[in-house]
Amino acid sequence: GAGGQAAGERRRQQEASVCVLPCWKATSAAMSDAPPPEADPAAAAGGEGAPPAEEKPKRGKPKDPNAPPKPKNAFQRVTGEARARLKEAKPELATDLKAMGLALKEEWDKVPQEEKDRMTAEYEKEMEIWRPKWAAYKETEGYKEFFELKQDWIDARMKKKLVKKYAKEAPKRPKSGYMIFAGEIRERVADEVAKAGGGMGDIGKKISEEWQAVSEAKKAEYAEQSARQKEVFDVEYAKYKLTDSYKNFMEEKAKMESKQLQKKLMRTKLRGAPKKAPGPFALFRSEVMADVVRENKGLKTGELAKKVGELWKAVPDDKKVEYQKRADVLKEEYDKKLTEFRRDKIYSTFLKERMRVKLKENKQVNLWDAPKKPKSVFALYAEKHKQEVPAGKGEGKGVSALKQKFSQASEEEKKALEEQAKNLKEKYMQDVREFKESDKYKQYEKTDKAIQRELSTAGLKVLTVKFLNAAPPQPPKSPFAVFVSEKRKASAEPEGAKKSKEAKREEVVGFTKEWAKLDKPSKAAYESTYKDKMKEWEAEVKAFMAQDIWKEYLAEAKEFKVPVTNLLAQRASALRQLSGGVGLPERPEAMPARPPDAYKVFSEEKSPEVDGDKEQLLKMWEGMSVEDKAKYFTEASKLQQEYDKQMAEFKKTDEGKNYFRDVSRILRVKKVKRAKEVYLKDMPKMPPSALKVFMAKEMAELKKTSPLMKGFEAKKLAEEKWKTMDPADKQKLEQEAEEALQAYRDKMAEFKKTTEFTKFTRAKLTSAPPAKPTGAPVKPLSALRAYMKEMQGLGKKREELEKDFNELPEADKNARLEKAKELQNKYAEELAEFRKTPEFKTYQKFQFLHQKRTNCTLAKYKFCADAPKKPAAAIMLFMGDKRKDIMRDHPELKGTQVLGKASELWNAMSPEERGPWLQKEKEAKDVYNKKMEEFKNSENYKAYMKVVNRYQKGKAKAKGAGKGKGKGKAPDAGQAPKGPEYRDRAKERRELKGEYETIAQEFENHGEVSVEQSKYLGGDMAHTHLVKGLDFALLSKVRTEITKQQKAEELQEQRKQRKAGLDKKKRFETPLGKRVYFSVVETMHPHHVSFKKRMQNMTKALALGQRIRGAPSTFLPGRMAYEFDTGMSQGSSDIPRTIFASKEDAPKVDMSKRVAPILIETV
């Protein structure tokens, strides 16, 4: 670049010595009759009156003026000197580049070979000096800035090449008036300039001068020609935009721009990133490359690389190990520097900007064919009338004038435009639905998710390095982890010694065996240590989260769209959350705390003696005899009894009932989950589909043949292979998959007959039995069980405790047996008294119902699995057929709104229009009834009815004691008071007897009631209201007669009280209290004369978006709304649905508005 600049400077000096004025200037002055314009002497002399010379932007490839000038080779030296000489001798070569190139080649061929060699040798010496200077200059900021300038120029050139590539098929752009004029005179001007010795630039200057001399009328003619060309171009270009060529051009352009921007971001934002550490081969190559180049001059880069590769193969293995060690050290240093660089904010900025570039490319490539949003009513009006207003911006021009004109437009025109806009919007919505089904939109969504996932993954790494690594280290994850940690500390192994995975696994297995041998108090000690460590860690974490670094983390996590890591979340709860499990509810504060066991009582007593050394306490406990430990077990038993009493009282409270109800619900979920793990572990697994089998096989083969291939690339190739697969081979795979699926179904049918599946079904379908009523006596423990409960803290097995009980001293053992016998006798007396209470009878009834529900449900699940399904009603069949049509015609409807619309259409249909679906319903019912008759004759149905009939027969017994132990004797049915005799009201209603004679006559008067009132009487518009109407009328009549007298008495009493209240004068102790009452209390009454006016003012204030002082956040503007069902069908509710939005989703209040958008009169 520097050599070219020097040559250009020398050429300009030579031209200045030959001619003072440019040649085309002299020629123009000679050809023109008028004298040349006089030059300003001040400007010529460069005096004070001369305007500052404007630096003209340079064209062509940018050059770096600060770079060390590169030496010229022999060819450049010869041609640089000859170029000026040839241009002076032959001026026509200045405009003929090809001829100039041939002339320079002739000059080069005239130079003797000895002279060429001499100049080449000088060039090599100068290059040896230049190369270190160039390497040092490349590290400066000046070079990096110039490189960006140069790369921008290269990128722009690449875009021009792309445009030029596709411009062949595109219509030619219309020429401006000036370009049409220039095309007419260019040939003549070029000849004149060539004769005068001018260059390419002189031609443009000459044309510009002649254009300035053209009259305005002539310029208007050229402008008219340009406008006609523009009209033709617009039509042709609109057609061209629909071609595949234009589509390909836009896609390539978007991808090119995205690629260039991403590279620019990497060059500018990652400029301070550390250089990647070299590997062993790269270190070796840097050492030998200079010698290889020196010995093999003239070889290309690829051949030099082969030479270095051959030398690397010859290096011995011990030498390669040394290179590897050096590379590992450099890699560690690089990783540290990279971690530090990722902490910098500039790296986070790079990730976000790169994501924005990729998202923009994804939209431009995949959403280019997306339907364009239709024009609004005003936009349609503006397009139609834009020629009627003056162009420009400001008052009375352009958009402003169109808005004024639109406000004065007629209602007919506005309605026509509204209808047109509505049709355009419907077409747009239809186009959008179709576009969303296309492959392009699916590719857009897939790419968008991949980009977001890439940012989240990179952001998570940044946040971990930048913030989470500074958080307090995680504590042991369980009491067993504390045990393992202490064992490892006690071992003689050096700290930080690395072990293999196998060694660690064997070590943990050994620790697990030792842990299993510990007794319960020992494990409780480790549990206590674990809880203490967790509390310390939680305190450290809370202190860490109170710092500013945590606030920065939250802000950046929101920007990266990464979920905030909860540092206080326990590992077990996190795993439960990931697996879909639910933890137990939080313990209420009023709930009594569980008392300490025997070991904790011992620790509290002995801890001061050993200064809280937990290991010493554990050794002391393990060394004590059973007799010494009995003291602590007795004290722990007393504490447990007090706890049981407090817990019984807590369970009676509302808080306790709610807590244990939630616990019961969650335990049921866990019970089903546990049942799946236990009973369904041998359940057959569903086989994969044909596509999954093919994909797994193909991807495994691709991984073997191409180990460096990425997973997504292998998946893409496998999918393409599946699509282009021979139909016969594909059918074979699908047939094999179908056979495997059928085999799975057969195995599943067999598995459902097993005991394991029956146990799972019972666990899934059975519910908890009814809770025992309050006040029911609790069955006492036997002597053995009471002893085992006292000694449960020893960690002994059942057999060992039974042996210890039998070996007790005779007096102690007899005393325990006698005490248990007394408790059992007392319990029998209390139970006999409790069985006489109504609570016990109610409890027995609930027990019977629970047993009936459980067994009938199990029987139905077991025997009625093959029962025919009840057919859908006619309206449901209609909804199924019309659902897609309704969603297509009304895209704004969602969910239940679609069903509401279908119900509205169904209600509006006549019986003849409903005929096809009613016929389908009838046919389906006939088929169902036939299948049901067949099923009722099967053995399964008989087995099911046998279970049901068992409880139907035993229903009367369930009210009493029934059979079985402890259930008591059934009470005599004759003791119950006799109720009123049974009346067959259905028969009376059918025959219109008794009360129904007058009701039937009254109902005739309901023939003219409206449909809205009719829906409360039952039936519909096409059927009679008689059946439900009589019931409703009878019910209303009975209620009216019962409450008429009561209401009359209440109204009379209210009138008396109101009259008595009016007679009393209000008395006030202070004048302030009187003023407060009349200004606030009395005026706030709804019957006050100003109440309506104040409510209107308040409504206007709410419509303006103002918030009432002291009002809860629920009433923020836009947060609460009511949804009304405008297409109510018969039987639906007309009660609106209340919808609450979050504070963040509520619209912001615009306090600048002076007028309410919705006035009270329009609400």
Side-chain angles (χ1 to χ4, degrees), residues 743-982:
Y744 159 76
R745 289 170 179 164
D746 297 339
K747 291 179 181 178
M748 196 65 195
E750 292 296 326
F751 178 75
K752 286 185 177 181
K753 298 177 181 178
T754 60
T755 309
E756 298 295 314
F757 189 78
T758 304
K759 291 179 179 179
F760 166 73
T761 305
R762 179 175 289 275
K764 178 182 177 182
L765 298 179
T766 55
S767 58
K772 290 186 177 181
T774 306
V778 180
K779 189 175 182 179
L781 299 176
S782 63
L784 175 60
R785 288 187 175 275
Y787 174 78
M788 292 173 68
K789 185 177 181 181
E790 290 180 9
M791 301 300 170
Q792 63 182 355
L794 293 175
K796 293 185 177 182
K797 296 181 180 179
R798 179 187 178 90
E799 295 79 8
E800 295 175 348
L801 291 173
E802 288 180 356
K803 183 179 179 182
D804 294 343
F805 178 76
N806 293 328
E807 293 176 357
L808 285 174
E810 195 67 26
D812 187 9
K813 186 176 180 181
N814 290 335
R816 289 176 178 272
L817 292 172
E818 188 64 29
K819 183 179 179 181
K821 186 176 180 181
E822 292 176 1
L823 293 174
Q824 185 65 33
N825 293 335
K826 183 179 178 182
Y827 166 73
E829 294 174 0
E830 292 176 351
L831 183 61
E833 291 296 325
F834 177 71
R835 283 179 173 170
K836 300 176 182 178
T837 61
E839 288 82 1
F840 177 73
K841 296 177 181 178
T842 305
Y843 170 65
Q844 275 196 318
K845 179 181 178 181
F846 285 148
Q847 265 193 327
F848 170 79
L849 292 175
H850 172 263
Q851 187 179 8
K852 174 186 175 182
R853 182 170 59 249
T854 301
N855 290 341
C856 289
T857 302
L858 291 173
K860 185 176 180 180
Y861 189 85
K862 182 177 181 181
F863 299 115
C864 298
D866 299 329
K869 300 294 184 281
K870 194 172 182 180
I875 187 172
M876 298 308 296
L877 296 172
F878 172 78
M879 288 180 177
D881 293 343
K882 296 296 181 181
R883 184 182 181 87
K884 291 184 179 180
D885 297 338
I886 294 172
M887 293 179 69
R888 183 187 66 248
D889 298 337
H890 302 278
E892 71 279 1
L893 299 181
K894 304 293 182 184
T896 56
Q897 296 175 347
V898 178
L899 299 180
K901 185 65 177 177
S903 178
E904 181 182 342
L905 295 175
W906 175 263
N907 292 333
M909 292 170 65
S910 64
E912 292 77 13
E913 292 174 333
R914 297 180 184 179
W917 291 279
L918 294 172
Q919 183 64 26
K920 288 182 182 179
E921 179 187 15
K922 184 176 180 303
E923 294 173 358
K925 281 185 178 180
D926 293 341
V927 174
Y928 167 74
N929 293 333
K930 185 177 179 182
K931 291 183 178 180
M932 198 64 192
E933 289 297 330
E934 295 175 358
F935 177 71
K936 286 182 178 180
N937 295 326
S938 64
E939 295 297 328
N940 284 340
Y941 182 77
K942 293 176 181 178
Y944 167 69
M945 290 306 298
K946 184 177 180 181
V947 176
V948 174
N949 292 333
R950 184 192 313 159
Y951 291 98
Q952 295 293 341
K953 295 175 183 177
K955 188 172 182 181
K957 292 183 180 180
K959 295 181 180 178
K963 296 181 180 181
K965 296 181 179 180
K967 300 244 177 158
K969 184 179 179 182
D972 187 1
Q975 295 177 0
K978 291 185 178 182
E981 295 184 0
Y982 173 73

Side-chain angles (χ1 to χ4, degrees), residues 569-589:
Q570 302 295 328
R571 179 175 179 272
S573 62
L575 290 177
R576 281 197 301 270
Q577 186 177 2
L578 290 174
S579 61
V582 182
L584 291 176
E586 187 177 355
R587 289 170 59 93
E589 294 182 1

Side-chain angles (χ1 to χ4, degrees), residues 192-400:
E192 294 175 358
V193 171
K195 290 177 182 178
M200 298 290 291
D202 300 332
I203 298 174
K205 293 178 182 178
K206 176 66 175 174
I207 294 173
S208 178
E209 284 187 355
E210 294 196 14
W211 173 256
Q212 295 298 329
V214 174
S215 64
E216 292 298 327
K218 192 67 174 175
K219 286 183 179 179
E221 292 179 7
Y222 286 117
E224 183 65 24
Q225 293 181 34
S226 175
R228 286 196 296 270
Q229 291 182 10
K230 177 72 166 54
E231 292 174 0
V232 176
F233 170 78
D234 289 341
V235 175
E236 294 179 352
Y237 193 69
K239 295 178 182 178
Y240 172 69
K241 288 176 73 174
L242 301 177
T243 62
D244 292 337
S245 175
Y246 182 76
K247 180 180 176 181
N248 295 336
F249 164 69
M250 294 300 292
E251 287 189 6
E252 285 192 37
K253 181 171 175 284
K255 290 179 180 178
M256 177 186 289
E257 290 177 348
S258 176
K259 186 177 180 181
Q260 291 174 353
L261 280 173
Q262 289 183 53
K263 287 185 177 180
K264 187 176 182 66
L265 283 174
M266 292 181 69
R267 292 193 306 269
T268 55
K269 300 296 182 182
L270 302 186
R271 188 176 291 174
K275 303 296 181 185
K276 194 171 183 179
F281 175 72
L283 293 172
F284 171 77
R285 182 180 57 194
S286 63
E287 293 179 358
V288 302
M289 179 58 82
D291 297 334
V292 172
V293 172
R294 193 181 304 110
E295 295 172 1
N296 301 274
K297 289 184 177 180
L299 288 182
K300 295 181 179 180
T301 306
E303 296 173 348
L304 291 173
K306 289 181 181 178
K307 292 284 185 182
V308 176
E310 293 173 359
L311 294 175
W312 173 253
K313 289 179 181 178
V315 174
D317 292 341
D318 55 346
K319 191 71 174 175
K320 288 183 178 180
V321 171
E322 293 179 6
Y323 281 115
Q324 184 64 51
K325 290 180 179 179
R326 287 171 56 192
D328 292 341
V329 173
L330 294 174
K331 181 70 166 54
E332 290 180 3
E333 295 176 359
Y334 165 75
D335 291 340
K336 291 179 181 178
K337 292 179 181 178
L338 182 63
T339 302
E340 289 300 319
F341 175 74
R342 285 179 173 173
R343 292 176 186 271
D344 198 341
K345 192 173 182 179
I346 195 170
Y347 181 70
S348 302
T349 306
F350 161 74
L351 293 176
K352 297 168 194 170
E353 292 186 4
R354 185 181 67 176
M355 181 202 68
R356 283 193 285 268
V357 172
K358 289 185 175 182
L359 289 175
K360 183 180 178 182
E361 177 195 356
N362 186 29
K363 286 183 179 179
Q364 290 177 340
V365 172
N366 293 313
L367 297 186
W368 185 83
D369 288 336
K372 303 299 184 286
K373 199 169 183 180
K375 293 183 179 180
S376 63
V377 176
F378 174 73
L380 293 172
Y381 180 85
E383 184 181 19
K384 185 177 179 182
H385 297 276
K386 63 181 179 181
Q387 302 297 337
E388 302 173 9
V389 298
K393 297 181 180 179
E395 190 70 25
K397 298 179 181 178
V399 178
S400 176

Side-chain angles (χ1 to χ4, degrees), residues 591-701:
M591 185 175 176
R594 190 174 291 278
D597 58 9
Y599 177 75
K600 287 184 179 179
V601 174
F602 164 77
S603 298
E604 291 174 0
E605 181 182 328
K606 300 294 183 181
S607 182
E609 298 179 8
V610 294
D611 296 331
D613 190 346
K614 295 182 179 180
E615 294 184 4
Q616 188 67 23
L617 286 171
L618 192 58
K619 291 180 181 177
M620 292 171 62
W621 174 263
E622 292 175 349
M624 291 175 66
S625 63
V626 177
E627 292 77 11
D628 296 336
K629 290 180 180 179
K631 166 190 172 184
Y632 301 105
F633 280 112
T634 303
E635 188 173 350
S637 178
K638 292 179 181 179
L639 295 174
Q640 182 67 33
Q641 291 176 4
E642 294 178 5
Y643 167 77
D644 292 340
K645 291 180 182 178
Q646 295 174 1
M647 182 59 73
E649 293 296 325
F650 173 73
K651 287 182 178 180
K652 296 177 183 178
T653 63
D654 293 338
E655 189 177 16
K657 292 176 182 177
N658 294 333
Y659 172 75
F660 283 104
R661 184 178 65 248
D662 293 341
V663 168
S664 176
R665 176 179 53 81
I666 294 171
L667 290 178
R668 172 170 170 73
V669 174
K670 290 188 173 184
K671 171 189 172 186
V672 175
K673 187 177 179 182
R674 178 62 179 165
K676 284 183 179 179
E677 297 173 356
V678 174
Y679 300 123
L680 301 185
K681 57 185 177 182
D682 296 329
M683 187 173 72
K685 305 296 181 186
M686 190 170 183
S689 63
L691 177 59
K692 285 187 176 181
V693 173
F694 174 80
M695 291 288 290
K697 183 179 178 181
E698 285 298 319
M699 290 186 71
E701 292 179 359

Side-chain angles (χ1 to χ4, degrees), residues 271-551:
R271 188 176 291 174
K275 303 296 181 185
K276 194 171 183 179
F281 175 72
L283 293 172
F284 171 77
R285 182 180 57 194
S286 63
E287 293 179 358
V288 302
M289 179 58 82
D291 297 334
V292 172
V293 172
R294 193 181 304 110
E295 295 172 1
N296 301 274
K297 289 184 177 180
L299 288 182
K300 295 181 179 180
T301 306
E303 296 173 348
L304 291 173
K306 289 181 181 178
K307 292 284 185 182
V308 176
E310 293 173 359
L311 294 175
W312 173 253
K313 289 179 181 178
V315 174
D317 292 341
D318 55 346
K319 191 71 174 175
K320 288 183 178 180
V321 171
E322 293 179 6
Y323 281 115
Q324 184 64 51
K325 290 180 179 179
R326 287 171 56 192
D328 292 341
V329 173
L330 294 174
K331 181 70 166 54
E332 290 180 3
E333 295 176 359
Y334 165 75
D335 291 340
K336 291 179 181 178
K337 292 179 181 178
L338 182 63
T339 302
E340 289 300 319
F341 175 74
R342 285 179 173 173
R343 292 176 186 271
D344 198 341
K345 192 173 182 179
I346 195 170
Y347 181 70
S348 302
T349 306
F350 161 74
L351 293 176
K352 297 168 194 170
E353 292 186 4
R354 185 181 67 176
M355 181 202 68
R356 283 193 285 268
V357 172
K358 289 185 175 182
L359 289 175
K360 183 180 178 182
E361 177 195 356
N362 186 29
K363 286 183 179 179
Q364 290 177 340
V365 172
N366 293 313
L367 297 186
W368 185 83
D369 288 336
K372 303 299 184 286
K373 199 169 183 180
K375 293 183 179 180
S376 63
V377 176
F378 174 73
L380 293 172
Y381 180 85
E383 184 181 19
K384 185 177 179 182
H385 297 276
K386 63 181 179 181
Q387 302 297 337
E388 302 173 9
V389 298
K393 297 181 180 179
E395 190 70 25
K397 298 179 181 178
V399 178
S400 176
L402 285 169
K403 285 183 178 178
Q404 294 177 2
K405 194 174 181 64
F406 179 70
S407 63
Q408 300 170 2
S410 63
E411 292 296 327
E412 293 77 8
E413 186 178 8
K414 286 184 179 180
K415 287 182 179 179
L417 292 174
E418 287 174 1
E419 185 66 24
Q420 185 181 354
K422 182 181 178 182
N423 295 335
L424 290 174
K425 186 174 181 181
E426 290 177 357
K427 185 178 182 303
Y428 166 73
M429 296 299 294
Q430 178 64 25
D431 294 342
V432 167
R433 285 193 294 272
E434 293 176 358
F435 179 73
K436 286 187 176 181
E437 298 296 327
S438 64
D439 295 336
K440 272 288 184 183
Y441 185 76
K442 292 176 181 176
Q443 181 63 32
Y444 163 75
E445 287 189 323
K446 182 179 178 182
T447 308
D448 186 76
K449 289 179 182 178
I451 294 170
Q452 299 286 355
R453 186 167 55 250
E454 180 187 25
L455 177 69
S456 299
T457 304
L460 192 59
K461 293 178 181 178
V462 170
L463 295 176
T464 303
V465 168
K466 196 171 180 180
F467 301 106
L468 299 184
N469 285 350
Q474 289 278 346
K477 298 178 180 179
S478 64
F480 175 69
V482 178
F483 171 74
V484 172
S485 176
E486 292 184 358
K487 286 291 183 181
R488 284 176 175 168
K489 287 180 181 178
S491 64
E493 295 180 2
E495 187 176 356
K498 293 185 178 180
K499 295 182 180 180
S500 64
K501 290 184 179 180
E502 291 76 12
K504 288 181 179 180
R505 192 178 295 111
E506 292 176 1
E507 184 183 42
V508 171
V509 170
F511 289 149
T512 305
K513 293 178 180 177
E514 293 183 29
W515 175 262
K517 295 178 182 178
L518 295 178
D519 58 6
K520 193 171 182 179
S522 303
K523 291 181 179 179
Y526 286 111
E527 176 76 24
S528 176
T529 305
Y530 164 71
K531 289 182 178 179
D532 293 342
K533 288 182 178 292
M534 283 297 299
K535 288 180 180 178
E536 294 174 3
W537 177 74
E538 288 177 0
E540 293 176 0
V541 167
K542 288 180 180 178
F544 172 76
M545 294 173 69
Q547 301 175 9
D548 293 338
I549 188 174
W550 184 252
K551 296 178 182 177

